[in-house]
Amino acid sequence: MDIWSYTQSGYREEDTVTNGNRFLVGNGYMGYRGTMDEWGKSEFAAVNLAGVYDQNGDKWREPVNAPNGLFAVLSVNGETVALGKTTAQKHTQTVHFRRGTHSRDTLFAPVRIRSERFVSMAEKHLLCSRLTLTFSEDCQAELLTGIVTDIWDINGPHLFNYTYQADSILLAEARTGELNIPVAAAQSVKAGFDCAEKRESTETGVYRRLSFNAEAGKSYVIDIFSAVFTGLDDKEPGKQAYSLCQKAAESGFESLLSAHRAAWEELWQNSAVELQGCDEAARALNASLYHLHSIAPRHASALSIPARGLSGQTYKGAVFWDSEIFLFPVFVHTEPELAKTLLRYRIETLPGALKKAAEYGYRGAFYPWESQEGGAEGCTDYNVVDVFTHRPVRTYFRDKQIHISGDIAYALWRYYEITGDLSLMREGGAEVILQCARFYLSRAHSRLDTDKVELLDVIGPDEYHERVGNNVFTNQMAAHCIACSLELPELFPDSSFFDDLIKKLDYEDDFNLLKKLLPLLRPAFEEGEIIEQFDGYLELEDCDLETVRGRLLDEREYWGTNHGVAAHTRIIKQADVIAMMALFPSQFSDKTVERNWRFYEPRTEHGSSLSSCMYALTACRFGQPDLAWEHFIKTASIDLEGGGKNWAGEIYIGGTHPAANGGAWIIAVLGFAGLSVLNGELTANPRLPSQIKSLRFPVTLRGKRVCVTVTHDGWTVE
Ligand code: BGC
C-alpha cells in the first residue's frame, strides 16, 4: 500500500459530493474541490476562498467561491466527453499527499483523459492543471476551457456585475453583493501542439476553444494556469491575476510544480509522523495532515481555519472552538508561527467579542460561536431546520455556548506554557484573557441564600442538552480562564506592561472580584467519582444508544433541542466531561479518568467528529491505548472514508473535518507517544497500542527541529 496517496477506481455518481472533499487540493488561501476538469456547478465544483464572506439578502452569510479558471471539457467529433455523461471504460482519481496534487485518469472510447492539478503552496494565488489527451482514433478535437462564473453556492449568488476580457489571457472580474469586494480570476494556457484558438464570453463565463486534428495514439498536452485575487489582497485584483497568469505561462508547469513540491516537502519535514506497524493507519494519518496543511493560513498573519476547511460553504465558513482545541495543538508543536496566526485571529477579533457580550448585557469578551471576519457572529438563532415541519428550530448555540471564550484563553495560555514565549501575550493575548475572565465575572450568578456561584443556562460541548446549569466543562474552562488572568501579573514582574494594561482596561476592581470568584466557581472533584455533566444529568433517562437511535423517525433528524431524541436521556453528542479531563490531565487521577470514561463512552453518540479524539487521548493517559485504537482509526480516516454526518436536520453539514484531522495527530503524538512540552522542555510517555511498532515525528522547539522516536521500549530524541 502506498501510504502517501489514495486512489479510487471506478465512477459512482453518489460519490460526487464526498469525493469533492476527499480529493480536495488547497493552500490555505483557497481550496479546489476534488471534481473532474469538465464538471461544474451541478457536481459542486468550487474554488473556496479563505476569509472572504458575503451575505445575499437574509440568507446565511458564507464564504465566497471564486470563478473556476481550471474548467476544461473536450469534444471529439462534436460529441462532449464528460465523466457521468459519457461511459468510462476505466477511471481512477488520486490524491497525492506528499506532493500535494490531485490526478485523474479516465479512459473513454475515443480518448484517454489524464490531468494533474495543484493549488500552489509556493504562490498562494495560483492554480495549475496539466491535461494529457491521448486519442484512440484520428478525429477532430475541441477543448473548451476558460473561467466559469456560474458557480456553486449554498446561499448565493455572491458575485455580481461581471466584466470579461478575452485576450490570450482570459479575465473575469466581479464584486461581492454585500461589501462590494472585487474578486478576479484569470486564465492562461500553454498547448504543446498546434491548434486554432477562438475566444468568447457568455452568460456563464469567458472561454477559449482550442481545436485540432488529433492523431490516433498521440498524446496532446495542455497546461492551464489560473490566478485568483480579491480586493482584500490588492487594490487592483484583476491586474494582479492577469499578470500572474502571464508569468505562470512563462515559467511553465514543470517549474511551478517543482516549487510547489518543494514547499510541500518542507511542510512534511516539519510535521510528518512515521507510523510503523499498520500501513492503513499510517496512510490515514498522512491524509489527515495533508488536509490540515491544505487549509492552514500560512499566507496571513492573523487568520484561523473554518470548521469545514476550504471544502465549501458549509457551517458558513466559520471558525469554531475546533481551532483552539483541536488544531492549535498540532501547530504549536510543529509550526509555532502558524499557531500564532490562529491566535492572532482571536486577538484581532476581540472587538467583535466585546460587542457580542455587550449585546447580551454582559461585560468583557464573549466570542462568537461561529466566527467570521472581524469576529462577526455567523451563528443564527435558528441553526437547524426540522425535517418534519421544515420549520426553523430555535437553537441556542450562539447564546449559550459560553465555553468558547475560555477555550480561547486556554489556547493562549498553552502557547505561553509550551513555548515560554510571551510575545503573544504582549501583542494582545493578555488583554483577551482579561476580557474573557471579565465576561465570566459578569455572566456568573450568585445567590442570596447560599454562597454558591454558578454558570446557569449554558450549553457544553454536548450540544444535545441545551440550557443546562453548571456544565462542568464550562465551569472548569471559566475557572481556568480566571486563574490565568490572576496569574498574568507574575509573567511581567519587572515591566510596566501589565500595570498599564490594568489601567487601560480599568480592571482594578474586577481583579479583586475575580480573586473572590475563583474558589467559588472552580468545580471541586472527588477522587474516583462519576462527575455529573451538568445539574440534573444523572436524573435523566438512562437508556442505551441503540434505544435512542431506534426512536428516530428520520435519519436526518436532529437529536438535540426540545424534541430531539437525546434531549431527555443521558445520551450525549460528544465528549464533554471526558474532554475536560483530556484538557486538564494533571487534575484527575488515572482511576477517576477511567471510571468516567467507562461511564460516558457508551453513552456518547460521537455525533461530532471532535468526540473520538478526546476519548482516545484519555484512554492513553490511563494506560489503555488499545481502547483508543478504534477512536484513532475513526478520527484519522474520516475524510478518506467520507465519514461524519452530512445533515443536521435539513441543513447540509458535509465537507472535510479539520478538527478530526488535527485530532489524529493529537492522538498519535500527545496520546500514543505521550509527548509533553513545557517551557521548551520535552518529555514523552509512550503508550503505544499493539498495532503500532514505533512512531517517529518532528517537534519544533524554540526554532529548532528535534525528532522524537517512540517504541514499546521507550523513547529517544535527536
Ligand atoms: C460540534 C461542535 C463543533 C462544530 C464544528 C458541531 O457539530 O458539536 O463542537 O464545534 O460541529 O465542527
Side-chain angles (χ1 to χ4, degrees):
M1 173 192 288
D2 177 8
I3 61 167
W4 284 107
S5 71
Y6 175 81
T7 298
Q8 197 183 71
S9 301
Y11 163 72
R12 297 187 330 149
E13 192 185 347
E14 57 272 32
D15 290 338
T16 302
V17 176
T18 317
N19 282 350
N21 304 322
R22 191 182 267 144
F23 294 100
L24 181 107
V25 283
N27 64 1
Y29 177 84
M30 58 190 158
Y32 192 101
R33 287 176 57 78
T35 47
M36 295 297 108
D37 312 274
E38 63 272 23
W39 284 357
K41 187 174 171 171
S42 35
E43 292 89 6
F44 312 114
V47 186
N48 190 240
L49 298 180
V52 188
Y53 296 87
D54 181 70
Q55 181 168 25
N56 181 328
D58 59 2
K59 293 191 230 172
W60 283 1
R61 206 155 183 277
E62 63 186 11
V64 171
N65 284 336
N68 176 13
L70 291 189
F71 171 77
V73 62
L74 182 73
S75 311
V76 173
N77 298 329
E79 296 277 327
T80 304
V81 183
L83 191 66
K85 296 191 181 103
T86 314
T87 309
Q89 294 165 352
K90 264 193 207 155
H91 171 68
T92 59
Q93 191 174 2
T94 304
V95 53
H96 305 268
F97 308 129
R98 193 95 194 180
R99 47 196 276 146
T101 59
H102 165 271
S103 60
R104 60 88 65 98
D105 185 350
T106 315
L107 183 64
F108 298 103
V111 62
R112 177 178 177 193
I113 300 181
R114 279 171 291 169
S115 76
E116 179 166 32
R117 165 198 304 157
F118 60 93
V119 182
S120 174
M121 202 48 100
E123 167 47 79
K124 67 177 176 180
H125 299 281
L126 192 63
L127 302 131
C128 303
S129 169
R130 166 165 282 184
L131 273 180
T132 306
L133 312 170
T134 313
F135 296 84
S136 55
E137 56 195 56
D138 292 353
C139 61
Q140 175 59 42
E142 182 183 87
L143 187 76
L144 174 70
T145 178
I147 308 169
V148 178
T149 57
D150 181 25
I151 48 188
W152 173 47
D153 279 315
I154 298 182
N155 293 293
H158 298 295
L159 296 176
F160 302 92
N161 302 325
Y162 272 105
T163 57
Y164 299 123
Q165 205 171 303
D167 306 344
S168 61
I169 291 170
L170 306 179
L171 181 66
E173 292 183 89
R175 285 183 177 263
T176 61
E178 184 195 3
L179 301 173
N180 207 29
I181 303 170
V183 174
Q187 192 217 48
S188 58
V189 300
K190 214 168 154 185
F193 55 94
D194 288 337
C195 56
E197 178 169 341
K198 273 196 199 149
R199 299 182 204 117
E200 67 198 25
S201 57
T202 69
E203 275 184 2
T204 66
V206 54
Y207 303 95
R208 60 182 102 230
R209 290 178 186 277
L210 306 176
S211 30
F212 54 100
N213 292 319
E215 284 175 38
K218 222 172 133 182
S219 289
Y220 296 80
V221 178
I222 300 141
D223 297 332
I224 305 176
F225 310 100
S226 177
V228 178
F229 280 80
T230 76
L232 303 186
D233 309 310
D234 196 273
K235 272 199 226 105
E236 295 182 301
K239 238 185 187 174
Q240 295 291 346
Y242 190 99
S243 109
L244 182 58
C245 273
Q246 207 161 22
K247 276 192 221 139
E250 279 158 27
S251 308
F253 186 87
E254 299 289 354
S255 99
L256 296 169
L257 177 61
S258 76
H260 167 75
R261 288 191 60 179
W264 265 99
E265 194 49 40
E266 199 184 321
L267 300 182
W268 287 117
Q269 294 294 337
N270 282 330
S271 63
V273 180
E274 277 173 46
L275 183 158
Q276 301 286 346
C278 177
D279 279 356
E280 236 161 83
R283 179 168 72 177
L285 194 49
N286 289 339
S288 301
L289 279 177
Y290 163 79
H291 277 291
L292 263 196
H293 287 317
S294 303
I295 56 175
R298 293 192 176 80
H299 61 282
S301 65
L303 195 62
S304 198
I305 298 178
R308 289 288 177 268
L310 299 175
S311 62
Q313 294 152 319
T314 313
Y315 274 135
K316 311 169 192 108
V319 176
F320 291 64
W321 71 313
D322 308 28
S323 286
E324 282 70 29
I325 304 298
F326 297 84
L327 307 180
F328 162 80
V330 184
F331 299 130
V332 74
H333 291 102
T334 55
E335 234 182 302
E337 266 313 307
L338 195 47
K340 274 178 140 176
T341 300
L342 301 193
L343 293 179
R344 273 202 214 98
Y345 168 78
R346 298 300 195 173
I347 294 174
E348 279 205 357
T349 56
L350 177 63
L354 296 173
K355 189 165 160 245
K356 177 173 169 185
E359 278 166 13
Y360 283 91
Y362 301 115
R363 298 188 304 127
F366 181 10
Y367 274 89
W369 180 241
E370 301 185 13
S371 182
Q372 297 183 332
E373 89 279 41
E377 174 62 271
C379 189
T380 62
D381 287 347
Y382 297 87
N383 233 27
V384 168
V385 176
D386 181 61
V387 288
F388 304 111
T389 60
H390 311 292
R391 291 183 189 138
V393 179
R394 178 67 164 105
T395 48
Y396 292 89
F397 311 121
R398 72 175 266 159
D399 324 64
K400 309 293 178 191
Q401 213 151 163
I402 63 169
H403 65 83
I404 178 68
S405 291
D407 305 334
I408 291 163
Y410 176 90
L412 280 163
W413 195 258
R414 286 297 288 152
Y415 178 83
Y416 156 68
E417 283 186 325
I418 291 169
T419 62
D421 169 15
L422 277 173
S423 62
L424 258 188
M425 289 292 181
R426 288 184 198 278
E427 276 180 45
E431 184 167 343
V432 167
I433 293 176
L434 291 175
Q435 291 289 22
C436 291
R438 178 179 262 170
F439 166 65
Y440 290 120
L441 176 65
S442 79
R443 179 62 167 72
H445 294 75
S446 75
R447 293 192 7 196
L448 295 178
D449 58 343
T450 71
D451 60 1
K452 245 175 139 178
V453 175
E454 305 175 280
L455 286 172
L456 300 175
D457 200 5
V458 303
I459 303 180
D462 160 32
E463 294 175 341
Y464 289 166
H465 296 90
E466 296 195 348
R467 312 196 65 169
V468 299
N470 296 308
N471 165 250
V472 75
F473 179 98
T474 306
N475 287 21
Q476 173 75 12
M477 268 298 171
H480 175 71
C481 171
I482 294 168
C484 293
S485 74
L486 296 176
E487 273 184 55
L488 275 172
E490 289 162 35
L491 306 189
F492 305 98
D494 308 317
S495 83
S496 61
F497 165 79
F498 196 71
D499 295 340
D500 294 347
L501 186 59
I502 293 289
K503 272 195 210 110
K504 177 182 129 185
L505 302 180
D506 192 12
Y507 211 85
E508 203 72 55
D509 291 346
D510 286 346
F511 223 70
N512 293 327
L513 287 172
L514 286 170
K515 281 183 197 150
K516 278 197 208 153
L517 173 62
L518 181 59
L520 299 173
L521 188 65
R522 183 179 261 158
F525 305 112
E526 274 173 39
E527 174 58 18
E529 72 165 336
I530 297 290
I531 296 170
E532 190 174 33
Q533 190 178 291
F534 53 82
D535 293 347
Y537 169 82
L538 290 174
E539 282 145 41
L540 297 175
E541 184 188 347
D542 192 15
C543 49
D544 64 26
L545 187 57
E546 287 324 307
T547 305
V548 169
R549 202 188 297 281
R551 291 175 186 167
L552 287 173
L553 302 175
D554 182 313
E555 61 170 344
R556 293 194 300 172
E557 212 178 310
Y558 184 63
W559 290 40
T561 73
N562 285 348
H563 309 293
V565 286
H568 309 281
T569 74
R570 292 189 195 173
I571 296 301
I572 63 173
K573 179 178 182 184
Q574 66 200 77
D576 194 308
V577 168
I578 293 301
M580 171 185 72
M581 293 181 163
L583 297 178
F584 296 92
S586 63
Q587 293 191 28
F588 303 94
S589 70
D590 287 357
K591 184 176 151 210
T592 307
V593 179
E594 180 163 3
R595 236 194 120 209
N596 279 275
W597 199 100
R598 293 193 187 274
F599 177 85
Y600 280 109
E601 203 285 330
R603 292 175 172 81
T604 306
E605 187 224 353
H606 301 295
S608 159
S609 62
L610 280 54
S611 187
S612 276
C613 163
M614 295 296 181
Y615 280 97
L617 190 56
T618 40
C620 295
R621 296 247 171 89
F622 64 76
Q624 298 275 349
D626 290 322
L627 284 178
W629 181 251
E630 210 182 296
H631 289 293
F632 170 61
I633 292 296
K634 190 173 158 194
T635 301
S637 47
I638 188 160
D639 289 327
L640 279 185
E641 295 293 326
K645 281 191 179 177
N646 279 334
W647 300 96
E650 281 188 350
I651 308 291
Y652 172 66
I653 55 168
T656 61
H657 298 80
N661 303 154
W665 182 96
I666 292 176
I667 301 168
V669 175
L670 306 185
F672 295 150
L675 179 87
S676 153
V677 182
L678 256 196
N679 226 341
E681 298 282 317
L682 171 156
T683 53
N685 181 12
R687 300 281 165 94
L688 294 187
S690 50
Q691 292 85 348
I692 297 183
K693 285 197 191 116
S694 67
L695 287 171
R696 189 178 145 83
F697 53 86
V699 176
T700 299
L701 285 183
R702 301 203 162 141
K704 285 203 186 114
R705 193 164 65 218
V706 299
C707 194
V708 182
T709 305
V710 170
T711 65
H712 285 269
D713 303 323
W715 63 283
T716 55
V717 57
E718 291 155 51

